[in-house]
Amino acid sequence: MPVPVFTHPDCLRHDPGPGHPESPARLRAVLERLAVEPAADVRHAEAMEPDADLLLALHPEPYLARLAAMAARGGGVLDEDTAMNGASWRAALGAAGSLLAAVRHAHEHGALGHAFAAVRPPGHHALRDQAMGFCLLGTVVLGAKEAQALGRHRVLIVDWDVHHGNGTQALMEHDATMRYVSLHQSPWYPGTGAADERGVGNVFNVPRPAGLPPERYVDDLWEAVEAAVGGWTPDIVLVSAGFDAMAGDPLGGFTLEPEHFADLTRRLRDRLREAPVVGLLEGGYDPARLAEGVAAHVAALE
C-alpha cells in the first residue's frame, strides 16, 4: 500500500531570501520526485493547522504572536540564519498541521500506518520562545504531543539530521514519556548534543565527527536506538528525517547515502513492529540529493 505523504501548499511559499540554503527548491524537488515514486501517495491539504492549545503547550503566546505579526508585515530577520517572508507563518502552521495529519493517519491505521510529512520550514532547532537554525516551531514535538493526546503515550523521536536537534531536546528532555535519539556531526552547529546530555534518562545523543565510513554512523545510531527502547516499547516513532547527513551536502560532512536511510527505516519498522513510523522532513540542502534520500526513506516505509 502506498505511503501517504502529507504536505501543504504554503510550505512552498515560505522564502527566507535569495541564496538562503533553506529554499523552496528543496521541497519542490522532493514533491516532484515523490510524484513519480510508486511507494508515495502525495496528499495536499489546504486547511491543516494545529489548534491553539497544542501550540501553547510548547510555545508561549507572545512568541507565536511575534511570528504572526512579522509575517503580517511582510517578513523580517529573526536571527543570523532565520528569516521570514509574508507566507512563513502560514507555512510553519501548514508544516505542523501536515505532521499532525500524518500522526492521525498512523494512529488510525496502527502498525501499518507509516506516513511522511514533506514540509518546510524545518523545526528541530526551534526553542520554546526563540527561532533559530531556519526553524520556527518545534514541529516534531507538536507531533509527539498529538500522538499522546490520541492515546499513543510513549513516543520515540529519532533524529538523523546532521545537526543536533537542540530545540527538540529542550522541549522534551524533562518528559519521561518521550525518548530522543540523535545522531549528529560534532563539533558543528548548534554546538549542543553531547553524549552526557541525558535529560531525565530519555535523551540518547550520538555526536560523531565528519568523514567516518557510513556504516559507522548507521551502527552507532542503531546502538543508541536499541539503548533507548530497551525495556521501553514506544507506541509511535517519529523520525526527524534530515538528509543533510548525506555525502556532499553543503552544510554537513557526513557520508551517508540514500540506501543507508532506507536501511535505518527498515530497521525501525522491523524492530518496533507494533509502532507506526512517521517521518518528518528536516534538513538537506542539495535539492536533488535531498529528493533521493526522501524517496529511499518513503519507499522503505511501504
Side-chain angles (χ1 to χ4, degrees), residues 51-192:
D51 63 37
D53 288 343
L54 184 61
L55 286 171
L56 290 169
L58 290 189
H59 299 290
E61 193 279 334
Y63 172 68
L64 300 174
R66 178 155 48 94
L67 295 180
M70 181 173 284
R73 294 193 301 269
V77 176
L78 292 161
D79 75 2
E80 61 184 7
D81 299 310
T82 312
M84 299 175 68
N85 70 343
S88 298
W89 175 236
R90 298 300 308 171
L93 292 176
S98 297
L99 177 61
L100 300 190
V103 166
R104 292 177 197 127
H105 171 90
H107 175 68
E108 291 165 5
H109 292 81
L112 297 178
H114 312 301
F116 186 74
V119 296
R120 55 183 289 277
H124 74 155
H125 294 308
L127 299 169
R128 178 171 166 77
D129 59 358
Q130 179 184 342
M132 65 178 291
F134 316 157
C135 302
L136 305 181
L137 298 175
T139 311
V140 74
V141 184
L142 289 170
K145 293 285 189 183
E146 177 72 5
Q148 292 181 326
L150 294 169
R152 294 185 178 269
H153 300 296
R154 295 180 302 276
V155 181
L156 174 65
I157 302 172
V158 177
D159 188 336
W160 61 48
D161 190 283
V162 80
H163 305 97
H164 179 244
N166 60 304
T168 299
Q169 180 176 312
L171 290 169
M172 55 68 62
E173 63 186 342
H174 301 297
D175 183 348
T177 65
M178 300 183 193
R179 296 196 175 184
Y180 178 60
V181 180
S182 175
L183 169 71
H184 48 272
Q185 186 173 327
S186 180
W188 206 235
Y189 182 89
T192 55

Side-chain angles (χ1 to χ4, degrees), residues 221-281:
L221 174 57
W222 192 250
E223 182 179 351
V225 170
E226 289 285 5
V229 302
W232 185 87
T233 303
D235 299 312
I236 190 170
V237 180
L238 304 182
V239 179
S240 272
F243 295 92
D244 42 9
M246 281 204 290
D249 190 276
L251 297 189
F254 276 10
T255 57
L256 295 166
E257 295 290 342
E259 59 264 28
H260 299 113
F261 297 107
D263 178 26
L264 286 165
T265 304
R266 285 189 292 267
R267 291 193 197 195
L268 288 170
R269 287 194 55 176
D270 293 345
R271 174 67 173 82
L272 304 167
R273 292 183 179 276
E274 300 305 313
V277 178
V278 177
L280 166 68
L281 182 61

